[in-house]
Amino acid sequence: MKVLGLGDNVVDKYVNYRLMYPGGNALNFAVFAKKLGVNSSFMGVFGTDKEGQYVKKVVEEIGLDNSHSRIVAGENGCARVEIKDGDRIFLGSNEGGVTQTNPITLSTEDKDYLQTFDLIHMGLYSHVNHLLPVLKELPGKISYDFSDDFTEAEIQNAIAAVNFGFFSMSDENDEDTKQFLHEHFTGNNEVLIVTRGANSAIAYDGQRFYEVVPVLKEPVDTMAAGDSFLTAFLINYLSGDDISTAMKKGNAFAGDSCMVEGSFGYGVSYE
């Protein structure tokens, strides 16, 4: 299996510790997939500031192919975060930095490169929605993280083009969650999943619902818990596990992820 995280990379600046950690939904996916033993790559836009240089250095240290990424003059994606009792609280961001202001356009070489992947993962903050018509025609599957602050318009803009969709809806009850999944499932979807924090995650495959209770541990840091869940689910499901088994493995991997500071470690102090 060969997978790609397409889109966002950021630094998460933990203001109460004066530490910054690399992250971002697409990059987290690529890193977690590699941890799970999969041939994994990242394609995005790095800024030329210290933050962008540091994330690129970490990507290369981890061993992710990023040969089709861009470096653009300007600020890398950056978010400010506070950790309180192991939970992360977002304080603000620069809205993706150069990832947003200089969105990726595909060359012929890029399109040939993208043909080689079994799965491409992107999300609401990846700033690559404009590529969906091209991506949909590729042989690989598409995964999309709608996160927790999606709008109905944003769902409709992407849902029919993706095979796997993930939503975070921690306040929804079982009945409303199942109704939401049923209403938004399209003919191109294979599995849609709603995670609900400490409550059970619910999946829908167009025929039936699946429900799995998360593994509850006292977290060190909940950053990227959702990203680690969806990555492990996708890798295990595409490797042959049924939906329930893949969800259980996703929960276990997410529980382990919450014992690591930042999305996947590599914290450094910042001024």
Side-chain angles (χ1 to χ4, degrees), residues 93-155:
S93 75
N94 65 354
E95 304 297 334
V98 293
T99 299
Q100 180 192 42
T101 58
N102 295 267
I104 292 173
T105 58
L106 298 177
S107 66
T108 301
E109 291 77 12
D110 292 328
K111 292 176 183 177
D112 291 342
Y113 177 70
L114 294 174
Q115 293 267 358
T116 67
F117 292 97
D118 300 296
L119 175 69
I120 297 173
H121 176 74
M122 55 191 287
L124 193 62
Y125 307 117
S126 291
H127 302 292
V128 289
N129 268 27
H130 59 288
L131 303 180
L132 277 171
V134 175
L135 299 177
K136 187 179 179 183
E137 299 305 315
L138 297 174
K141 296 180 184 294
I142 302 173
S143 167
Y144 195 103
D145 186 2
F146 291 89
S147 192
D148 61 354
D149 59 353
F150 53 85
T151 64
E152 183 63 25
E154 287 168 333
I155 296 175

Side-chain angles (χ1 to χ4, degrees), residues 85-253:
D85 299 326
D87 200 9
R88 85 287 192 254
I89 302 167
F90 284 98
L91 304 177
S93 75
N94 65 354
E95 304 297 334
V98 293
T99 299
Q100 180 192 42
T101 58
N102 295 267
I104 292 173
T105 58
L106 298 177
S107 66
T108 301
E109 291 77 12
D110 292 328
K111 292 176 183 177
D112 291 342
Y113 177 70
L114 294 174
Q115 293 267 358
T116 67
F117 292 97
D118 300 296
L119 175 69
I120 297 173
H121 176 74
M122 55 191 287
L124 193 62
Y125 307 117
S126 291
H127 302 292
V128 289
N129 268 27
H130 59 288
L131 303 180
L132 277 171
V134 175
L135 299 177
K136 187 179 179 183
E137 299 305 315
L138 297 174
K141 296 180 184 294
I142 302 173
S143 167
Y144 195 103
D145 186 2
F146 291 89
S147 192
D148 61 354
D149 59 353
F150 53 85
T151 64
E152 183 63 25
E154 287 168 333
I155 296 175
Q156 296 305 323
N157 189 40
I159 192 69
V162 306
N163 303 102
F164 304 97
F166 297 87
F167 305 84
S168 178
M169 302 168 62
S170 58
D171 296 328
E172 292 296 329
N173 61 38
D174 290 4
E175 182 179 349
D176 289 344
T177 299
K178 291 178 179 179
Q179 182 177 347
F180 172 88
L181 288 169
H182 183 267
E183 289 177 352
H184 289 93
F185 196 90
T186 75
N188 195 52
N189 299 148
E190 194 166 332
V191 183
L192 300 182
I193 297 182
V194 171
T195 56
R196 301 185 295 165
N199 298 316
S200 61
I202 298 178
Y204 183 58
D205 65 358
Q207 299 294 323
R208 57 168 292 195
F209 295 98
Y210 306 81
E211 190 168 354
V212 174
V213 177
V215 177
L216 296 179
K217 297 181 179 180
E218 188 66 33
V220 171
D221 186 350
T222 57
M223 182 71 77
D227 295 342
S228 54
F229 167 82
L230 70 84
T231 305
F233 168 81
L234 288 164
I235 298 307
N236 285 288
Y237 176 75
L238 292 173
S239 296
D241 283 344
D242 60 44
I243 292 174
S244 293
T245 301
M247 289 174 72
K248 289 175 183 176
K249 290 181 179 179
N251 277 334
F253 189 70

Side-chain angles (χ1 to χ4, degrees), residues 14 19 29 32-33 38 42 51 57 84 97 139 165 179 186 195 218 221 225 234 239 241 251 260 265 268 271:
Y14 287 35
L19 292 171
F29 168 82
F32 292 141
V38 172
F42 171 73
E51 290 80 356
K57 176 185 174 183
K84 192 170 185 179
Q179 182 177 347
T186 75
T195 56
E218 188 66 33
D221 186 350
L234 288 164
S239 296
D241 283 344
N251 277 334
V260 177
V268 293
E271 297 177 358

Side-chain angles (χ1 to χ4, degrees), residues 35 220-223 255-266:
K35 283 188 176 183
V220 171
D221 186 350
T222 57
M223 182 71 77
D256 292 340
S257 174
C258 289
M259 307 311 292
V260 177
E261 293 179 348
S263 292
F264 49 84
Y266 291 90

